[in-house]
Amino acid sequence: MSTSITPPVLEARNITKVFPGVIANEDVNLVLHKGEILALLGENGAGKSTLMNIIFGLYHPTHGEIFVNGKPVVMKSPRDAIALGIGMVHQHFQLVPVMTVTDNIMLGDESVKNGLLDRRAVAERIRALSRKYGLEVDPDAIVEDLPVGVRQRVEILKALYRNAKILILDEPTAVLTPQEIEGLFEVMETLRRQGESIIFITHKLKEVLRIADRIMVLRNGRVVGEADPRTATQQQLASMMVGREVILTVDKGPAHPGETVLEVEGLCATSDLGEPALRNISFQVRAGEILGVAGVQGNGQTELVEVITGLRRADAGHVRIKGVDMTNASPRRITHEGRSSHVPEDRHAYGMVDSYTVADNLVLNQYYLPPFAKGVTIQEAAIAAHARELVKKFDVRTPSIYTPGGSLSGGNQQKMVVAREFSRPIQLLIAAQPTRGIDVGSIEFIHNQIVAKRDEGVAVLLVSAELDEIMALSDRIAVMYKGEIIDVVDRADATREGLGLLMAGVKHEAVR
Amino acid sequence: MRLSVLRRIGYMVLIPILAVFSALLLGAIIMWIFGDDPLAAYRGLWTGAFGSPRAWSTTIRKMTPLILTGLSVAVAFKAGLFNIGASGQFLIGSVCSVAVGVNFEGLPAFVHLPLALLAGVAGGVLWGFIPGALKVFTGAHEVIVTIMLNYVASLFAAWTVYAGGTQGQTPGPLWDRTAGAISRTPEVFMSARLPWIVPEPYRIHWGVAIALLVALIMWWILFKTTLGFSTRTVGANSKAARYAGINVRWITILTMMIAGGLAGLAGAIETLGLNHRFAPEFTGGVGFQGITVALLGQTNPIGVVLAAFLLGALEAGAARMQFDSGVAADIIQVIQALVLAFVAAPLIIRQIYRIRKPSDQVETTVFSTGWGR
Amino acid sequence: MQRTLRVTSYLAIALVIFFVVMAFLVNLTPLGENTWLRVFFSVSALNFTLRASVPLILGALCGILCERTGIINIGIEGMMLAGAFAAFVAKTSTNHWPLMPSLLFGVAIALLVGGLMGLLHAIFSIRYRMDQIISGTVLIILAGGVSAYLFDRNAVAQGKFGAIAIPGLSQIPVLGEVLFTNPPLTYTALILVVVIHIGLFYTRWGLRSRACGEHPRAADTVGVNVNRFRYMNTVLGGMLAGLAGGFLVLEAVGQFQEGMTAGRGFISLAAMIFGNWMPFGAMGAALLFGYTQALQNELLLAGVTTVPRQFVSMIPYVVTIVAVSGFVGRVRPPAAEGKVYETEGESE
């Protein structure tokens, strides 16, 4: 690769980045050539985003150098990176929701005429770029009205508007349906043809093999190897990513479903923005089975879980637990009387209190019950004993049960939440994105716990945006699209392609 | 194992101490810049606050309402609410207790006094309920509502004692008919007064004991009861509180009512124990000072008592300071603002004195998350 | 959202037309003999409204500048008081100068001190990550304390700004008297509303400022220095609040009194919210609040004693409570308000 005559468009040498207490990148080397798609593969926390933020000037490396077109550069801020022709499409879109596409794209690089913004000229340029790269978008639309796929196009246009020659795409497929992903890949191919160089960051093996010219694998902040997509296999890449042979499937026996525990009938609800989020949803979960809810994020899964657990009002329909009507019941009644547990999708917002000790977090929704409370008084000894037992049983790694929960690692925080929710006698478990953003070891542990609950006869409703997780754990799979359950299929009959089509709203008889 | 807990407590104590020290130092520099003698001022301040038994009694007297208004603000903080309205609640509490105190002649003291105190608490509770309920049901930010209610309270209080005007305006319902053109209430009956613990000239009344007892009760409620757990959870993370099955709306309203009641009690104690009447010049300034007391006390009831003692001493010494050194007593307010600044931004103190934060210290509550919901 | 905005603007326009018509009728026809109509629509009521609104308009503009970039400012009250006191000190120490230079010097010092207060707020809330509402509280207490500590109760400011009649326009009956015969700071405040509106929505500075308040990370990733904008706009805002204080001393009252801002900073804040963080909206709200104060004054002058004056004085405060209760949820504050923005080490 170093045989090419022209220098690489981008090179990073010996990059090290140290955050207080963490080494995010250690001695990383990276080379990107003109007109290629380099895939950067690694699991959550491997240091991919940190590396890209360094290349984009958001972070400053502790050690190491960066070269653009063979010349050493120092980037103090994104402004410098942009000036060098580097553009980034962030995993979380960096768009101002209340502003128009035009305003968003020109922000930081405005055209000004007579001291005032020249919006018309900018819109004209955006239209021209749209045509050239096949990225259709209305410059006058307000960003918050646009669907996710279009917002991503706006992000790409934002980089191209600044004449980016190097594009960094940070987990661009996380929010897209399989069909939208294919569309994105076509755009990437067009860009490559036009001479753009792309760094594609992901943790999804299939995508890497599909689109990349070259693959670089990151683990614990270090480069652990490169691979050629023409010869590499998923298993090889996976073991490079995690450092050991991973079990891609969960070991579980057949389900023995019993009586119906959760029954949802004709449920309708409204989102925070006042739009219909759930439209006439009906399904049942029986004891001893796992019903997986698949779907692209933002198709009503969050609202569905919130309505079932009492955090959001249902506008119509019914939720019954073991035949008892729990529609719009208080969360406390649903937990207590409905004997249910809820692992919330956003653990920082809902699942725990960062400033509370591990011990207090472990009784967050039981503190008022004996033995943790006697009358109105809190029983600290009982809470501590309970905490010691759970910390051991669920392998929550914490210096002490009096350590604030917020200072634990993500995986241990999630194990803490799981410990609390799995340690009570329950008949219904609702787990939303139970393994989001945590390490592989904790993922395996939590997956096994979920299956164990099922085998105890608990009805499990599993909501996940990770299709692999749904496929690995579920006994039946419901697919949500635009607030509806578009279909429910048996695990045995489900294929990735079929589910992908359903997630895109295409209901096809061939799926069966 | 409990070492980390001890370290956290140490940090919580160290910051306020350094904050007070730094504020006094900076106050001295300001005095020096404007040609005053800081040493003489602080000597006067010390004498006025601790120099004699009388000085001590003044400090205790000044401390009493500050404990209660400090608790009022602190309790609200615990639930993630910023009660700037303690001064309004204080005024309403004063007026309500006086209204009972100047009526019902002949009631026995063991009925009249508790009734008057209770009236003050009830007035404060109502004045706290309004912003709590508005926040819950309309989303109006409690900061703005409580500030506005302060003005309404002070106008309302002024009206109740209004002596009438030259154009024939009707006097207020509590006006002292014997006072001529002066706007004030008559003195409350003996049966409604808080008795002295140490009589004239020291004038320490039983209000101190009430305030200390209330602080202890608030500590117990906040840290040892399920209600306290709920309240603190709402303040630390209201979404998690909802998830945990806590009725966030009810806790919000209840906390504002308790906060209002505490400030109202402060007003009642101040009038029934000390002033024995109400006049418009009794402002609710102690309510505003409650903010400094609460933050200086790290929103912990025990800390609030200590902070109130300190601020009480500053207030007590101010007059003597002005008399002895000629430095305007208003410098005390400047020093209080500096204390508030330093405790509210521990980063300043940490940088000046190069203190490391315990690694697992989690930041305190943030209130300023927009005026909407 | 958009529709609410349009309906509100139509309502506002209708209200303005109504007032203009009534003002003409009451002041030029025998309708003016009715006491109540005079209380509501006389030239003096309208003049008083404008005068009472000016500090509120300036204060609300201060709030808009700060909050549009993401800094909550409840310290407007303190900034105003500091500006007022600074103007007073500047004016009294230059009493021996000719009147105009002395007054302008007062304005300059009010701007300077207001700006310094803004800087202090920015340093507290950005550099030292103090909770912004508490930082505002500190400013209020500090301004009260310092102004009282340094206030020379024997000093007297001599002279204040007088009205300047705009040639031609001031001859229009009624309107000329109300709108075009005013002292200079009043005109300045009205012009600033237009200037800031254009600035916010049609210039590079405004686009970037608003981006900092809505989505600072987005602004940062395209190379906008978020904290620099926040510093800059908080200082500018502080200057406007300082000017409001200067107005009170140099144009309205002529002297300084302890605590003379009397809650105007807080009402400005309410006007800002009520006006949906828009300069013209805030001006409309400020005029409304000013009008309630004018009514209170007119009722006193007309000798209406059926309602105790304390209750009339409560009107602006009660209206504010009603406004923030009724309008929150329908208005939309900048999304990133009150949150510290840090580049390095932030994971999301």
Side-chain angles (χ1 to χ4, degrees):
Chain A
M1 270 171 282
S2 52
T3 51
S4 58
I5 307 146
T6 49
V9 288
L10 178 75
E11 190 179 357
R13 276 191 210 153
N14 311 101
I15 297 287
T16 298
K17 175 68 188 175
V18 183
F19 289 122
V22 202
I23 301 176
N25 284 146
E26 196 177 346
D27 208 22
V28 172
N29 289 292
L30 176 150
V31 175
L32 178 69
H33 298 284
K34 186 172 166 58
E36 77 166 347
I37 297 176
L38 169 67
L40 199 59
L41 190 64
E43 63 162 329
N44 288 312
K48 295 166 298 184
S49 290
T50 306
L51 180 61
M52 289 309 114
N53 282 329
I54 289 172
I55 291 176
F56 193 57
L58 273 167
Y59 295 168
H60 313 293
T62 316
H63 300 295
E65 284 175 297
I66 294 169
F67 297 82
V68 173
N69 295 323
K71 287 190 216 64
V73 293
V74 177
M75 288 175 285
K76 293 205 190 69
S77 74
R79 184 166 278 270
D80 298 334
I82 293 164
L84 290 163
I86 302 173
M88 182 150 169
V89 174
H90 299 264
Q91 184 179 0
H92 306 281
F93 296 149
Q94 301 302 323
L95 299 172
V96 184
V98 295
M99 290 186 183
T100 62
V101 170
T102 305
D103 280 2
N104 265 291
I105 288 180
M106 77 166 149
L107 177 66
D109 188 18
E110 301 86 352
S111 291
V112 173
K113 207 162 92 183
N114 305 328
L116 298 181
L117 295 170
D118 191 358
R119 290 198 164 94
R120 194 185 293 182
V122 175
E124 226 16 80
R125 252 193 83 193
I126 293 172
R127 284 196 192 92
L129 281 171
S130 298
R131 280 193 294 275
K132 180 172 170 195
Y133 293 101
L135 291 156
E136 202 176 311
V137 58
D138 171 14
D140 298 324
I142 305 272
V143 165
E144 66 185 348
D145 300 336
L146 298 176
V148 176
V150 182
R151 289 189 205 189
Q152 190 170 59
R153 272 181 247 156
V154 177
E155 277 280 16
I156 296 174
L157 277 169
K158 210 163 110 182
L160 297 172
Y161 182 84
R162 289 163 169 74
N163 302 314
K165 290 288 153 217
I166 302 162
L167 272 177
I168 303 169
L169 306 179
D170 189 2
E171 302 270 4
T173 58
V175 288
L176 304 180
T177 63
Q179 283 70 22
E180 279 176 317
I181 291 173
E182 199 46 49
L184 172 69
F185 286 166
E186 279 162 27
V187 169
M188 283 166 72
E189 280 161 353
T190 316
L191 290 165
R192 174 167 59 186
R193 241 179 287 124
Q194 308 254 12
E196 298 274 333
S197 312
I198 296 174
I199 301 179
F200 171 49
I201 303 172
T202 184
H203 63 275
K204 294 185 182 164
L205 307 171
K206 289 185 193 71
E207 296 173 0
V208 169
L209 293 176
R210 154 79 177 76
I211 189 83
D213 297 315
R214 211 149 50 80
I215 303 167
M216 209 172 105
V217 185
L218 229 59
R219 185 172 77 227
N220 292 332
R222 260 171 287 189
V223 178
V224 290
E226 294 210 3
D228 185 336
R230 280 163 299 188
T231 55
T233 66
Q234 285 197 46
Q235 266 64 29
Q236 277 174 338
L237 291 176
S239 64
M240 276 168 89
M241 229 164 89
V242 236
R244 63 190 159 108
E245 296 299 326
V246 275
I247 317 151
L248 282 172
T249 53
V250 180
D251 193 21
K252 73 177 181 35
H256 304 287
E259 57 179 324
T260 299
V261 175
L262 174 67
E263 192 186 355
V264 172
E265 195 189 309
L267 208 59
C268 295
T270 317
S271 76
D272 289 339
L273 296 171
E275 285 151 10
L278 299 180
R279 301 163 204 260
N280 197 17
I281 291 218
S282 302
F283 64 84
Q284 283 144 20
V285 189
R286 300 201 284 164
E289 73 161 352
I290 300 177
L291 175 70
V293 176
V296 176
Q297 263 180 67
N299 274 288
Q301 299 96 316
T302 307
E303 287 84 357
L304 176 64
V305 170
E306 285 176 353
V307 171
I308 295 174
T309 54
L311 292 172
R312 183 181 294 273
R313 282 196 68 78
D315 300 333
H318 290 282
V319 177
R320 290 187 200 94
I321 299 176
K322 276 266 176 80
V324 181
D325 191 16
M326 290 282 182
T327 321
N328 292 329
S330 71
R332 186 159 286 183
R333 182 165 166 236
I334 291 167
T335 310
H336 197 57
E337 203 181 307
R339 291 205 296 133
S340 66
S341 271
H342 172 200
V343 177
E345 69 169 35
D346 186 342
R347 81 179 152 262
H348 283 288
Y350 285 99
M352 58 182 284
V353 177
D354 284 7
S355 59
Y356 274 17
T357 62
V358 171
D360 282 349
N361 267 305
L362 284 169
V363 293
L364 193 59
N365 46 14
Q366 290 135 275
Y367 66 93
Y368 61 97
L369 295 171
F372 311 123
K374 210 185 262 169
V376 296
T377 54
I378 294 276
Q379 300 299 309
E380 279 160 18
I383 291 174
H386 171 78
R388 282 197 197 92
E389 187 196 323
L390 289 194
V391 161
K392 203 190 232 167
K393 191 168 157 204
F394 286 83
D395 189 32
V396 182
R397 311 247 167 101
T398 168
S400 131
I401 57 165
Y402 299 109
T403 305
S407 65
L408 303 186
S409 76
N412 282 306
Q413 289 175 350
Q414 188 70 352
K415 280 197 264 184
M416 179 175 79
V417 173
V418 166
R420 181 183 68 219
E421 296 305 310
F422 283 38
S423 59
R424 305 177 246 150
I426 49 166
Q427 56 187 3
L428 172 63
L429 168 65
I430 296 153
Q433 321 291 354
T435 59
R436 178 180 282 175
I438 64 178
D439 59 292
V440 172
S442 304
I443 293 179
E444 259 186 63
F445 180 85
I446 289 171
H447 280 176
N448 287 330
Q449 290 289 330
I450 291 176
V451 173
K453 277 288 159 198
R454 179 199 74 166
D455 292 343
E456 281 170 27
V458 172
V460 181
L461 180 70
L462 169 74
V463 177
S464 176
E466 294 283 340
L467 203 46
D468 292 323
E469 182 165 78
I470 293 281
M471 306 267 292
L473 290 175
S474 311
D475 299 312
R476 287 187 301 137
I477 300 171
V479 182
M480 280 192 79
Y481 176 74
K482 290 203 170 163
E484 283 178 77
I485 292 212
I486 188 164
D487 205 355
V488 183
V489 291
D490 266 359
R491 169 63 186 91
D493 305 330
T495 59
R496 290 188 69 86
E497 293 68 31
L499 291 175
L501 280 171
L502 285 171
M503 283 161 70
V506 182
K507 189 170 178 180
H508 210 275
E509 281 316 301
V511 170
R512 297 289 172 122
Chain B
M1 180 195 66
R2 289 269 199 156
L3 202 72
S4 68
V5 181
L6 284 177
R7 247 201 356 258
R8 280 209 297 278
I9 293 173
Y11 175 80
M12 277 177 70
V13 174
L14 190 62
I15 292 288
I17 291 175
L18 289 174
V20 171
F21 173 73
S22 313
L24 287 172
L25 198 69
L26 194 52
I29 296 173
I30 293 173
M31 283 187 257
W32 177 72
I33 291 175
F34 290 102
D36 283 329
D37 179 357
L39 280 179
Y42 285 153
R43 216 178 298 125
L45 193 65
W46 180 266
T47 319
F50 306 118
S52 64
R54 279 227 18 204
W56 273 93
S57 74
T58 315
T59 299
I60 291 171
R61 213 161 46 230
K62 297 277 184 192
M63 169 183 83
T64 306
L66 288 176
I67 293 177
L68 291 169
T69 54
L71 283 174
S72 164
V73 180
V75 167
F77 271 143
K78 280 282 180 229
L81 300 160
F82 192 6
N83 179 24
I84 305 194
S87 52
Q89 295 145 8
F90 178 93
L91 287 177
I92 294 292
S94 305
V95 168
C96 290
S97 64
V98 167
V100 173
V102 298
N103 287 305
F104 310 112
E105 186 173 13
L107 270 186
F110 69 88
V111 179
H112 202 182
L113 175 61
L115 202 65
L117 285 172
L118 219 60
V121 173
V125 165
L126 173 71
W127 227 240
F129 169 80
I130 299 171
L134 286 179
K135 184 183 179 81
V136 163
F137 294 114
T138 72
H141 202 289
E142 77 277 7
V143 164
I144 293 190
V145 176
T146 53
I147 290 171
M148 292 303 140
L149 284 177
N150 285 345
Y151 290 101
V152 175
S154 111
L155 287 163
F156 176 78
W159 167 72
T160 58
V161 302
Y162 184 42
T166 47
Q167 295 176 328
Q169 290 96 330
T170 23
L174 293 177
W175 172 58
D176 179 1
R177 279 156 217 285
T178 63
I182 303 169
S183 297
R184 65 170 196 207
T185 66
E187 292 209 320
V188 297
F189 290 115
M190 286 306 288
S191 55
R193 294 185 194 180
L194 277 166
W196 302 117
I197 304 178
V198 189
E200 304 272 1
Y202 298 107
R203 301 205 300 150
I204 299 176
H205 54 80
W206 278 95
V208 186
I210 297 179
L212 289 173
L213 184 68
V214 167
L216 209 64
I217 294 172
M218 288 318 296
W219 177 83
W220 180 76
I221 290 179
L222 277 176
F223 295 105
K224 300 289 166 193
T225 68
T226 50
L227 174 64
F229 194 102
S230 311
T231 307
R232 286 183 291 123
T233 308
V234 170
N237 180 344
S238 66
K239 283 182 171 168
R242 245 157 58 75
Y243 163 85
I246 296 166
N247 190 335
V248 177
R249 295 173 146 223
W250 166 236
I251 292 286
T252 301
I253 295 179
L254 181 66
T255 307
M256 281 310 292
M257 285 165 68
I258 294 175
L262 288 165
L265 179 63
I269 284 180
E270 200 68 351
T271 41
L272 301 177
L274 199 63
N275 303 324
H276 299 152
R277 61 152 49 102
F278 184 81
E281 62 266 24
F282 303 149
T283 62
V286 285
F288 223 65
Q289 287 172 324
I291 299 168
T292 312
V293 173
L295 284 169
L296 186 60
Q298 306 276 293
T299 68
N300 180 310
I302 307 300
V304 162
V305 171
L306 298 174
F309 175 69
L310 203 101
L311 258 74
L314 283 180
E315 290 288 319
R320 183 63 179 265
M321 178 192 77
Q322 183 159 355
F323 185 76
D324 281 4
S325 67
V327 178
D330 302 297
I331 190 73
I332 298 302
Q333 196 184 342
V334 178
I335 292 173
Q336 285 180 9
L338 296 173
V339 169
L340 180 59
F342 289 134
V343 283
L347 202 59
I348 305 180
I349 296 294
R350 291 214 311 271
Q351 279 187 2
I352 299 176
Y353 300 97
R354 309 200 179 280
I355 302 167
R356 285 235 324 270
K357 190 172 81 164
S359 58
D360 52 6
Q361 180 81 25
V362 177
E363 292 295 338
T364 43
T365 327
V366 171
F367 314 97
S368 28
T369 43
W371 302 113
R373 36 191 95 215
Chain C
M1 196 69 223
Q2 288 294 322
R3 211 178 55 217
T4 323
L5 209 70
R6 205 170 309 135
V7 171
T8 325
S9 336
Y10 288 151
L11 268 177
I13 291 168
L15 210 61
V16 167
I17 293 173
F18 171 71
F19 264 90
V20 170
V21 170
M22 287 309 287
F24 273 107
L25 288 178
V26 170
N27 292 295
L28 299 176
T29 68
L31 227 52
E33 278 151 36
N34 179 314
T35 312
W36 283 98
L37 284 178
R38 258 206 328 277
V39 164
F40 282 109
F41 302 106
S42 68
V43 167
S44 92
L46 299 181
N47 258 329
F48 194 100
T49 300
L50 189 57
R51 221 172 326 135
S53 305
V54 169
L56 305 181
I57 291 172
L58 289 169
L61 289 177
C62 161
I64 289 172
L65 283 188
C66 296
E67 302 215 345
R68 280 282 184 176
T69 36
I71 300 283
I72 287 197
N73 185 0
I74 72 154
I76 302 172
E77 179 82 7
M79 295 173 171
M80 241 185 229
L81 189 64
F85 182 64
F88 176 74
V89 171
K91 178 72 197 68
T92 48
S93 57
T94 58
N95 269 338
H96 54 286
W97 293 8
L99 184 59
M100 228 352 122
S102 169
L103 287 170
L104 289 177
F105 180 67
V107 170
I109 297 297
L111 287 170
L112 178 75
V113 169
L116 285 176
M117 292 292 278
L119 183 64
L120 192 63
H121 184 47
I123 291 175
F124 278 158
S125 38
I126 298 168
R127 172 106 171 70
Y128 291 109
R129 288 176 234 157
M130 195 188 291
D131 183 90
Q132 293 167 12
I133 288 190
I134 294 177
S135 171
T137 312
V138 170
L139 293 192
I140 295 165
I141 303 180
L142 196 65
V146 171
S147 62
Y149 170 57
L150 297 177
F151 185 31
D152 175 1
R153 283 157 185 85
N154 299 319
V156 175
Q158 287 159 9
K160 55 176 187 171
F161 283 117
I164 301 169
I166 294 182
L169 290 175
S170 58
Q171 302 305 314
I172 306 173
V174 183
L175 279 187
E177 263 180 284
V178 175
L179 284 180
F180 302 108
T181 318
N182 283 306
L185 295 184
T186 304
Y187 293 127
T188 311
L190 296 177
I191 292 167
L192 277 170
V193 172
V194 181
V195 169
I196 289 178
H197 179 84
I198 293 174
L200 272 180
F201 296 103
Y202 299 95
T203 71
R204 176 185 308 201
W205 165 79
L207 183 66
R208 291 183 178 189
S209 295
R210 287 185 293 128
C212 292
E214 291 287 348
H215 195 330
R217 185 103 180 140
D220 191 8
T221 54
V222 291
V224 173
N225 188 334
V226 174
N227 284 338
R228 209 184 71 197
F229 268 85
R230 290 187 169 178
Y231 268 104
M232 182 169 75
N233 287 4
T234 311
V235 170
L236 283 174
M239 291 169 76
L240 293 181
L243 186 63
F247 166 87
L248 290 176
V249 167
L250 302 171
E251 193 164 297
V253 180
Q255 301 298 333
F256 179 79
Q257 294 139 20
E258 279 179 59
M260 77 183 300
T261 43
R264 288 188 179 85
F266 296 121
I267 298 183
S268 304
L269 202 64
M272 171 197 76
I273 296 173
F274 203 5
N276 199 14
W277 287 265
M278 305 287 247
F280 281 104
M283 182 179 75
L287 285 169
L288 201 67
F289 288 129
Y291 185 61
T292 60
Q293 288 176 22
L295 284 189
Q296 172 192 330
N297 192 50
E298 293 299 315
L299 284 173
L300 271 182
L301 287 179
V304 177
T305 57
T306 40
V307 189
R309 70 179 167 92
Q310 288 89 355
F311 285 93
V312 181
S313 304
M314 282 179 202
I315 294 173
Y317 307 114
V318 174
V319 168
T320 302
I321 293 175
V322 172
V324 293
S325 306
F327 278 78
V328 169
R330 253 155 284 178
V331 295
R332 184 162 169 177
E337 247 186 9
K339 294 177 194 123
V340 176
Y341 181 71
E342 288 167 278
T343 312
E344 186 94 358
E346 207 183 44
S347 55
E348 291 195 330

